[in-house]
Amino acid sequence: SDVVKKMKKIKTGLILVTGKVNSGKSTTMNAFIQEVNNEVSRKIVTLEDPIEYEHESKKSIVIQKEIGEESDVISYYNGLINLLREDVDIAVLGEIRDRKTMDVAIDLAESGGLVIGTLHTRSCGETVERIINMYDPADQNAIKNSVSSVLKMVISQKLILSTKGNLMMVPEIMVVNNVIAAQIRQEKFSVSELEDAIQSNIDKGSISLINSIAQLFVEDKITLQQAKAQIEEKNIEILNRTIMQMKIKRGQIQN
């Protein structure tokens, strides 16, 4: 998928895959592991609760550790601490639940590894906000600086029922470039300003939710009603404009 293609371009740093429960996060992570495993030689360690999909090592070495009292590691945090001592190319974590896990994930990413983790947040903007809010106000400037330099990409997923009745993944992808990094570091962080930055950095590889939704509509995969239901009221105008531009591009309407 396009999402996995984008993920594979990133060699070090932090990638977050986010979305509500059952929004296909583990499907995306497993597709990524599978492609890397088939194509290049890396040491990949996963921390999962529970292990849903077993990967056998092909070109890469894949080590899967289960979290839990009776399992391989007691917590995500302990599993990550152990990874700091090992030589891991890619660490994949089921979930980043708290500040101390986030701290180690950032350390691991700063030391040259690629860390992929998930959060139960609904959008790229909300994901950054959640991370900042894991920290006390006194530590928030420092964490904004760390995150703006180590975070490479956030993928936020929703699943929508298509007009044919099958579930489709709708991605919002934030590729962190200088513009977006500056937004994250702002004194007063604003989710809506970050969303505007994603919308205006589409040519740099980001994909806004509005664009993903518009695309599905012009491809007749969802109804206009469904499209509008996914977007905040204040963005309906941008959605309409985006749909028009896409239709003109596809030759569905004459300019």
Side-chain angles (χ1 to χ4, degrees), residues 96-118:
I96 299 177
R97 294 190 180 145
D98 51 37
R99 174 192 172 147
K100 59 180 192 169
T101 311
M102 194 73 208
D103 280 337
V104 192
I106 289 173
D107 283 348
L108 200 56
E110 282 176 340
S111 64
L114 176 61
V115 178
I116 301 173
T118 74

mmCIF file with all atom_site columns, all heavy atoms in Angstrom, residues 96-118:
data_model
loop_
_atom_site.group_PDB
_atom_site.id
_atom_site.type_symbol
_atom_site.label_atom_id
_atom_site.label_alt_id
_atom_site.label_comp_id
_atom_site.label_asym_id
_atom_site.label_entity_id
_atom_site.label_seq_id
_atom_site.pdbx_PDB_ins_code
_atom_site.Cartn_x
_atom_site.Cartn_y
_atom_site.Cartn_z
_atom_site.occupancy
_atom_site.B_iso_or_equiv
_atom_site.pdbx_formal_charge
_atom_site.auth_seq_id
_atom_site.auth_comp_id
_atom_site.auth_asym_id
_atom_site.auth_atom_id
_atom_site.pdbx_PDB_model_num
ATOM 1   N N   . ILE A 1 96  ? 2.154  2.930  22.925 1.00 0.00 ? 96  ILE A N   1
ATOM 2   C CA  . ILE A 1 96  ? 2.891  3.833  23.807 1.00 0.00 ? 96  ILE A CA  1
ATOM 3   C C   . ILE A 1 96  ? 1.851  4.434  24.751 1.00 0.00 ? 96  ILE A C   1
ATOM 4   O O   . ILE A 1 96  ? 1.038  5.247  24.336 1.00 0.00 ? 96  ILE A O   1
ATOM 5   C CB  . ILE A 1 96  ? 3.616  4.933  23.008 1.00 0.00 ? 96  ILE A CB  1
ATOM 6   C CG1 . ILE A 1 96  ? 4.632  4.286  22.060 1.00 0.00 ? 96  ILE A CG1 1
ATOM 7   C CG2 . ILE A 1 96  ? 4.313  5.916  23.963 1.00 0.00 ? 96  ILE A CG2 1
ATOM 8   C CD1 . ILE A 1 96  ? 5.366  5.256  21.158 1.00 0.00 ? 96  ILE A CD1 1
ATOM 9   N N   . ARG A 1 97  ? 1.858  3.967  26.002 1.00 0.00 ? 97  ARG A N   1
ATOM 10  C CA  . ARG A 1 97  ? 0.762  4.342  26.904 1.00 0.00 ? 97  ARG A CA  1
ATOM 11  C C   . ARG A 1 97  ? 1.110  5.500  27.815 1.00 0.00 ? 97  ARG A C   1
ATOM 12  O O   . ARG A 1 97  ? 0.229  6.174  28.321 1.00 0.00 ? 97  ARG A O   1
ATOM 13  C CB  . ARG A 1 97  ? 0.385  3.156  27.792 1.00 0.00 ? 97  ARG A CB  1
ATOM 14  C CG  . ARG A 1 97  ? -0.208 2.025  26.996 1.00 0.00 ? 97  ARG A CG  1
ATOM 15  C CD  . ARG A 1 97  ? -0.802 0.958  27.884 1.00 0.00 ? 97  ARG A CD  1
ATOM 16  N NE  . ARG A 1 97  ? -1.347 -0.096 27.025 1.00 0.00 ? 97  ARG A NE  1
ATOM 17  C CZ  . ARG A 1 97  ? -1.333 -1.372 27.338 1.00 0.00 ? 97  ARG A CZ  1
ATOM 18  N NH1 . ARG A 1 97  ? -0.810 -1.771 28.471 1.00 0.00 ? 97  ARG A NH1 1
ATOM 19  N NH2 . ARG A 1 97  ? -1.846 -2.252 26.509 1.00 0.00 ? 97  ARG A NH2 1
ATOM 20  N N   . ASP A 1 98  ? 2.394  5.671  28.115 1.00 0.00 ? 98  ASP A N   1
ATOM 21  C CA  . ASP A 1 98  ? 2.717  6.658  29.145 1.00 0.00 ? 98  ASP A CA  1
ATOM 22  C C   . ASP A 1 98  ? 4.040  7.351  28.846 1.00 0.00 ? 98  ASP A C   1
ATOM 23  O O   . ASP A 1 98  ? 4.754  6.992  27.924 1.00 0.00 ? 98  ASP A O   1
ATOM 24  C CB  . ASP A 1 98  ? 2.779  5.983  30.518 1.00 0.00 ? 98  ASP A CB  1
ATOM 25  C CG  . ASP A 1 98  ? 3.676  4.750  30.483 1.00 0.00 ? 98  ASP A CG  1
ATOM 26  O OD1 . ASP A 1 98  ? 4.701  4.777  29.780 1.00 0.00 ? 98  ASP A OD1 1
ATOM 27  O OD2 . ASP A 1 98  ? 3.345  3.748  31.148 1.00 0.00 ? 98  ASP A OD2 1
ATOM 28  N N   . ARG A 1 99  ? 4.329  8.320  29.680 1.00 0.00 ? 99  ARG A N   1
ATOM 29  C CA  . ARG A 1 99  ? 5.489  9.168  29.507 1.00 0.00 ? 99  ARG A CA  1
ATOM 30  C C   . ARG A 1 99  ? 6.804  8.388  29.525 1.00 0.00 ? 99  ARG A C   1
ATOM 31  O O   . ARG A 1 99  ? 7.689  8.621  28.714 1.00 0.00 ? 99  ARG A O   1
ATOM 32  C CB  . ARG A 1 99  ? 5.486  10.215 30.624 1.00 0.00 ? 99  ARG A CB  1
ATOM 33  C CG  . ARG A 1 99  ? 6.721  11.048 30.598 1.00 0.00 ? 99  ARG A CG  1
ATOM 34  C CD  . ARG A 1 99  ? 6.887  11.891 31.830 1.00 0.00 ? 99  ARG A CD  1
ATOM 35  N NE  . ARG A 1 99  ? 8.217  12.480 31.723 1.00 0.00 ? 99  ARG A NE  1
ATOM 36  C CZ  . ARG A 1 99  ? 8.543  13.660 32.174 1.00 0.00 ? 99  ARG A CZ  1
ATOM 37  N NH1 . ARG A 1 99  ? 7.663  14.388 32.789 1.00 0.00 ? 99  ARG A NH1 1
ATOM 38  N NH2 . ARG A 1 99  ? 9.758  14.109 32.017 1.00 0.00 ? 99  ARG A NH2 1
ATOM 39  N N   . LYS A 1 100 ? 6.933  7.422  30.458 1.00 0.00 ? 100 LYS A N   1
ATOM 40  C CA  . LYS A 1 100 ? 8.237  6.758  30.558 1.00 0.00 ? 100 LYS A CA  1
ATOM 41  C C   . LYS A 1 100 ? 8.494  5.870  29.335 1.00 0.00 ? 100 LYS A C   1
ATOM 42  O O   . LYS A 1 100 ? 9.621  5.772  28.864 1.00 0.00 ? 100 LYS A O   1
ATOM 43  C CB  . LYS A 1 100 ? 8.398  5.996  31.882 1.00 0.00 ? 100 LYS A CB  1
ATOM 44  C CG  . LYS A 1 100 ? 7.401  4.927  32.160 1.00 0.00 ? 100 LYS A CG  1
ATOM 45  C CD  . LYS A 1 100 ? 7.678  4.263  33.519 1.00 0.00 ? 100 LYS A CD  1
ATOM 46  C CE  . LYS A 1 100 ? 6.841  2.993  33.635 1.00 0.00 ? 100 LYS A CE  1
ATOM 47  N NZ  . LYS A 1 100 ? 7.218  2.168  34.767 1.00 0.00 ? 100 LYS A NZ  1
ATOM 48  N N   . THR A 1 101 ? 7.429  5.280  28.784 1.00 0.00 ? 101 THR A N   1
ATOM 49  C CA  . THR A 1 101 ? 7.587  4.491  27.554 1.00 0.00 ? 101 THR A CA  1
ATOM 50  C C   . THR A 1 101 ? 7.968  5.416  26.402 1.00 0.00 ? 101 THR A C   1
ATOM 51  O O   . THR A 1 101 ? 8.835  5.105  25.583 1.00 0.00 ? 101 THR A O   1
ATOM 52  C CB  . THR A 1 101 ? 6.276  3.740  27.227 1.00 0.00 ? 101 THR A CB  1
ATOM 53  O OG1 . THR A 1 101 ? 5.831  3.062  28.402 1.00 0.00 ? 101 THR A OG1 1
ATOM 54  C CG2 . THR A 1 101 ? 6.480  2.735  26.115 1.00 0.00 ? 101 THR A CG2 1
ATOM 55  N N   . MET A 1 102 ? 7.322  6.587  26.359 1.00 0.00 ? 102 MET A N   1
ATOM 56  C CA  . MET A 1 102 ? 7.610  7.581  25.317 1.00 0.00 ? 102 MET A CA  1
ATOM 57  C C   . MET A 1 102 ? 9.081  8.012  25.397 1.00 0.00 ? 102 MET A C   1
ATOM 58  O O   . MET A 1 102 ? 9.757  8.117  24.374 1.00 0.00 ? 102 MET A O   1
ATOM 59  C CB  . MET A 1 102 ? 6.687  8.792  25.522 1.00 0.00 ? 102 MET A CB  1
ATOM 60  C CG  . MET A 1 102 ? 6.653  9.715  24.344 1.00 0.00 ? 102 MET A CG  1
ATOM 61  S SD  . MET A 1 102 ? 5.719  8.942  22.999 1.00 0.00 ? 102 MET A SD  1
ATOM 62  C CE  . MET A 1 102 ? 6.467  9.694  21.624 1.00 0.00 ? 102 MET A CE  1
ATOM 63  N N   . ASP A 1 103 ? 9.551  8.266  26.616 1.00 0.00 ? 103 ASP A N   1
ATOM 64  C CA  . ASP A 1 103 ? 10.949 8.681  26.814 1.00 0.00 ? 103 ASP A CA  1
ATOM 65  C C   . ASP A 1 103 ? 11.934 7.679  26.202 1.00 0.00 ? 103 ASP A C   1
ATOM 66  O O   . ASP A 1 103 ? 12.875 8.057  25.519 1.00 0.00 ? 103 ASP A O   1
ATOM 67  C CB  . ASP A 1 103 ? 11.266 8.820  28.318 1.00 0.00 ? 103 ASP A CB  1
ATOM 68  C CG  . ASP A 1 103 ? 10.771 10.146 28.892 1.00 0.00 ? 103 ASP A CG  1
ATOM 69  O OD1 . ASP A 1 103 ? 10.590 11.101 28.106 1.00 0.00 ? 103 ASP A OD1 1
ATOM 70  O OD2 . ASP A 1 103 ? 10.568 10.229 30.120 1.00 0.00 ? 103 ASP A OD2 1
ATOM 71  N N   . VAL A 1 104 ? 11.694 6.380  26.489 1.00 0.00 ? 104 VAL A N   1
ATOM 72  C CA  . VAL A 1 104 ? 12.623 5.360  25.987 1.00 0.00 ? 104 VAL A CA  1
ATOM 73  C C   . VAL A 1 104 ? 12.489 5.225  24.468 1.00 0.00 ? 104 VAL A C   1
ATOM 74  O O   . VAL A 1 104 ? 13.479 5.047  23.765 1.00 0.00 ? 104 VAL A O   1
ATOM 75  C CB  . VAL A 1 104 ? 12.387 3.987  26.665 1.00 0.00 ? 104 VAL A CB  1
ATOM 76  C CG1 . VAL A 1 104 ? 13.531 3.042  26.340 1.00 0.00 ? 104 VAL A CG1 1
ATOM 77  C CG2 . VAL A 1 104 ? 12.290 4.140  28.169 1.00 0.00 ? 104 VAL A CG2 1
ATOM 78  N N   . ALA A 1 105 ? 11.267 5.345  23.963 1.00 0.00 ? 105 ALA A N   1
ATOM 79  C CA  . ALA A 1 105 ? 11.056 5.261  22.506 1.00 0.00 ? 105 ALA A CA  1
ATOM 80  C C   . ALA A 1 105 ? 11.842 6.379  21.816 1.00 0.00 ? 105 ALA A C   1
ATOM 81  O O   . ALA A 1 105 ? 12.497 6.161  20.791 1.00 0.00 ? 105 ALA A O   1
ATOM 82  C CB  . ALA A 1 105 ? 9.570  5.371  22.183 1.00 0.00 ? 105 ALA A CB  1
ATOM 83  N N   . ILE A 1 106 ? 11.813 7.581  22.416 1.00 0.00 ? 106 ILE A N   1
ATOM 84  C CA  . ILE A 1 106 ? 12.557 8.714  21.850 1.00 0.00 ? 106 ILE A CA  1
ATOM 85  C C   . ILE A 1 106 ? 14.061 8.460  21.933 1.00 0.00 ? 106 ILE A C   1
ATOM 86  O O   . ILE A 1 106 ? 14.793 8.670  20.957 1.00 0.00 ? 106 ILE A O   1
ATOM 87  C CB  . ILE A 1 106 ? 12.156 10.034 22.549 1.00 0.00 ? 106 ILE A CB  1
ATOM 88  C CG1 . ILE A 1 106 ? 10.727 10.423 22.129 1.00 0.00 ? 106 ILE A CG1 1
ATOM 89  C CG2 . ILE A 1 106 ? 13.124 11.169 22.190 1.00 0.00 ? 106 ILE A CG2 1
ATOM 90  C CD1 . ILE A 1 106 ? 10.140 11.605 22.877 1.00 0.00 ? 106 ILE A CD1 1
ATOM 91  N N   . ASP A 1 107 ? 14.530 7.950  23.081 1.00 0.00 ? 107 ASP A N   1
ATOM 92  C CA  . ASP A 1 107 ? 15.963 7.627  23.232 1.00 0.00 ? 107 ASP A CA  1
ATOM 93  C C   . ASP A 1 107 ? 16.417 6.648  22.159 1.00 0.00 ? 107 ASP A C   1
ATOM 94  O O   . ASP A 1 107 ? 17.472 6.817  21.548 1.00 0.00 ? 107 ASP A O   1
ATOM 95  C CB  . ASP A 1 107 ? 16.241 6.971  24.600 1.00 0.00 ? 107 ASP A CB  1
ATOM 96  C CG  . ASP A 1 107 ? 16.255 8.011  25.720 1.00 0.00 ? 107 ASP A CG  1
ATOM 97  O OD1 . ASP A 1 107 ? 16.276 9.219  25.394 1.00 0.00 ? 107 ASP A OD1 1
ATOM 98  O OD2 . ASP A 1 107 ? 16.241 7.613  26.891 1.00 0.00 ? 107 ASP A OD2 1
ATOM 99  N N   . LEU A 1 108 ? 15.619 5.614  21.963 1.00 0.00 ? 108 LEU A N   1
ATOM 100 C CA  . LEU A 1 108 ? 15.953 4.572  20.995 1.00 0.00 ? 108 LEU A CA  1
ATOM 101 C C   . LEU A 1 108 ? 16.008 5.161  19.583 1.00 0.00 ? 108 LEU A C   1
ATOM 102 O O   . LEU A 1 108 ? 16.913 4.865  18.809 1.00 0.00 ? 108 LEU A O   1
ATOM 103 C CB  . LEU A 1 108 ? 14.895 3.467  21.086 1.00 0.00 ? 108 LEU A CB  1
ATOM 104 C CG  . LEU A 1 108 ? 15.224 2.085  20.544 1.00 0.00 ? 108 LEU A CG  1
ATOM 105 C CD1 . LEU A 1 108 ? 16.475 1.533  21.205 1.00 0.00 ? 108 LEU A CD1 1
ATOM 106 C CD2 . LEU A 1 108 ? 14.053 1.131  20.798 1.00 0.00 ? 108 LEU A CD2 1
ATOM 107 N N   . ALA A 1 109 ? 15.032 6.023  19.273 1.00 0.00 ? 109 ALA A N   1
ATOM 108 C CA  . ALA A 1 109 ? 14.985 6.641  17.946 1.00 0.00 ? 109 ALA A CA  1
ATOM 109 C C   . ALA A 1 109 ? 16.146 7.614  17.759 1.00 0.00 ? 109 ALA A C   1
ATOM 110 O O   . ALA A 1 109 ? 16.711 7.727  16.671 1.00 0.00 ? 109 ALA A O   1
ATOM 111 C CB  . ALA A 1 109 ? 13.648 7.352  17.745 1.00 0.00 ? 109 ALA A CB  1
ATOM 112 N N   . GLU A 1 110 ? 16.521 8.314  18.838 1.00 0.00 ? 110 GLU A N   1
ATOM 113 C CA  . GLU A 1 110 ? 17.633 9.267  18.742 1.00 0.00 ? 110 GLU A CA  1
ATOM 114 C C   . GLU A 1 110 ? 18.972 8.554  18.577 1.00 0.00 ? 110 GLU A C   1
ATOM 115 O O   . GLU A 1 110 ? 19.907 9.110  18.041 1.00 0.00 ? 110 GLU A O   1
ATOM 116 C CB  . GLU A 1 110 ? 17.670 10.171 19.984 1.00 0.00 ? 110 GLU A CB  1
ATOM 117 C CG  . GLU A 1 110 ? 16.621 11.262 19.931 1.00 0.00 ? 110 GLU A CG  1
ATOM 118 C CD  . GLU A 1 110 ? 16.559 12.139 21.189 1.00 0.00 ? 110 GLU A CD  1
ATOM 119 O OE1 . GLU A 1 110 ? 17.050 11.710 22.255 1.00 0.00 ? 110 GLU A OE1 1
ATOM 120 O OE2 . GLU A 1 110 ? 15.997 13.248 21.088 1.00 0.00 ? 110 GLU A OE2 1
ATOM 121 N N   . SER A 1 111 ? 19.029 7.290  19.044 1.00 0.00 ? 111 SER A N   1
ATOM 122 C CA  . SER A 1 111 ? 20.304 6.586  18.947 1.00 0.00 ? 111 SER A CA  1
ATOM 123 C C   . SER A 1 111 ? 20.469 5.887  17.598 1.00 0.00 ? 111 SER A C   1
ATOM 124 O O   . SER A 1 111 ? 21.344 5.042  17.427 1.00 0.00 ? 111 SER A O   1
ATOM 125 C CB  . SER A 1 111 ? 20.463 5.597  20.103 1.00 0.00 ? 111 SER A CB  1
ATOM 126 O OG  . SER A 1 111 ? 19.466 4.601  20.021 1.00 0.00 ? 111 SER A OG  1
ATOM 127 N N   . GLY A 1 112 ? 19.615 6.227  16.637 1.00 0.00 ? 112 GLY A N   1
ATOM 128 C CA  . GLY A 1 112 ? 19.822 5.743  15.265 1.00 0.00 ? 112 GLY A CA  1
ATOM 129 C C   . GLY A 1 112 ? 18.934 4.601  14.821 1.00 0.00 ? 112 GLY A C   1
ATOM 130 O O   . GLY A 1 112 ? 19.028 4.136  13.694 1.00 0.00 ? 112 GLY A O   1
ATOM 131 N N   . GLY A 1 113 ? 18.066 4.130  15.718 1.00 0.00 ? 113 GLY A N   1
ATOM 132 C CA  . GLY A 1 113 ? 17.150 3.067  15.301 1.00 0.00 ? 113 GLY A CA  1
ATOM 133 C C   . GLY A 1 113 ? 15.883 3.653  14.699 1.00 0.00 ? 113 GLY A C   1
ATOM 134 O O   . GLY A 1 113 ? 15.662 4.862  14.722 1.00 0.00 ? 113 GLY A O   1
ATOM 135 N N   . LEU A 1 114 ? 15.050 2.773  14.152 1.00 0.00 ? 114 LEU A N   1
ATOM 136 C CA  . LEU A 1 114 ? 13.727 3.192  13.694 1.00 0.00 ? 114 LEU A CA  1
ATOM 137 C C   . LEU A 1 114 ? 12.732 2.608  14.685 1.00 0.00 ? 114 LEU A C   1
ATOM 138 O O   . LEU A 1 114 ? 12.749 1.409  14.955 1.00 0.00 ? 114 LEU A O   1
ATOM 139 C CB  . LEU A 1 114 ? 13.443 2.656  12.287 1.00 0.00 ? 114 LEU A CB  1
ATOM 140 C CG  . LEU A 1 114 ? 12.046 2.942  11.727 1.00 0.00 ? 114 LEU A CG  1
ATOM 141 C CD1 . LEU A 1 114 ? 11.782 4.441  11.608 1.00 0.00 ? 114 LEU A CD1 1
ATOM 142 C CD2 . LEU A 1 114 ? 11.849 2.273  10.369 1.00 0.00 ? 114 LEU A CD2 1
ATOM 143 N N   . VAL A 1 115 ? 11.912 3.471  15.280 1.00 0.00 ? 115 VAL A N   1
ATOM 144 C CA  . VAL A 1 115 ? 10.924 3.007  16.246 1.00 0.00 ? 115 VAL A CA  1
ATOM 145 C C   . VAL A 1 115 ? 9.537  3.279  15.674 1.00 0.00 ? 115 VAL A C   1
ATOM 146 O O   . VAL A 1 115 ? 9.251  4.390  15.220 1.00 0.00 ? 115 VAL A O   1
ATOM 147 C CB  . VAL A 1 115 ? 11.077 3.743  17.600 1.00 0.00 ? 115 VAL A CB  1
ATOM 148 C CG1 . VAL A 1 115 ? 10.010 3.277  18.587 1.00 0.00 ? 115 VAL A CG1 1
ATOM 149 C CG2 . VAL A 1 115 ? 12.476 3.505  18.181 1.00 0.00 ? 115 VAL A CG2 1
ATOM 150 N N   . ILE A 1 116 ? 8.705  2.246  15.687 1.00 0.00 ? 116 ILE A N   1
ATOM 151 C CA  . ILE A 1 116 ? 7.336  2.409  15.207 1.00 0.00 ? 116 ILE A CA  1
ATOM 152 C C   . ILE A 1 116 ? 6.412  2.058  16.358 1.00 0.00 ? 116 ILE A C   1
ATOM 153 O O   . ILE A 1 116 ? 6.517  0.978  16.944 1.00 0.00 ? 116 ILE A O   1
ATOM 154 C CB  . ILE A 1 116 ? 7.067  1.483  14.005 1.00 0.00 ? 116 ILE A CB  1
ATOM 155 C CG1 . ILE A 1 116 ? 8.063  1.820  12.893 1.00 0.00 ? 116 ILE A CG1 1
ATOM 156 C CG2 . ILE A 1 116 ? 5.637  1.651  13.500 1.00 0.00 ? 116 ILE A CG2 1
ATOM 157 C CD1 . ILE A 1 116 ? 8.019  0.890  11.729 1.00 0.00 ? 116 ILE A CD1 1
ATOM 158 N N   . GLY A 1 117 ? 5.543  2.993  16.729 1.00 0.00 ? 117 GLY A N   1
ATOM 159 C CA  . GLY A 1 117 ? 4.652  2.736  17.856 1.00 0.00 ? 117 GLY A CA  1
ATOM 160 C C   . GLY A 1 117 ? 3.237  3.141  17.524 1.00 0.00 ? 117 GLY A C   1
ATOM 161 O O   . GLY A 1 117 ? 3.002  3.858  16.554 1.00 0.00 ? 117 GLY A O   1
ATOM 162 N N   . THR A 1 118 ? 2.286  2.685  18.339 1.00 0.00 ? 118 THR A N   1
ATOM 163 C CA  . THR A 1 118 ? 0.906  3.096  18.087 1.00 0.00 ? 118 THR A CA  1
ATOM 164 C C   . THR A 1 118 ? 0.331  3.868  19.276 1.00 0.00 ? 118 THR A C   1
ATOM 165 O O   . THR A 1 118 ? 0.767  3.702  20.412 1.00 0.00 ? 118 THR A O   1
ATOM 166 C CB  . THR A 1 118 ? -0.039 1.895  17.808 1.00 0.00 ? 118 THR A CB  1
ATOM 167 O OG1 . THR A 1 118 ? -0.295 1.204  19.023 1.00 0.00 ? 118 THR A OG1 1
ATOM 168 C CG2 . THR A 1 118 ? 0.538  0.947  16.798 1.00 0.00 ? 118 THR A CG2 1
#
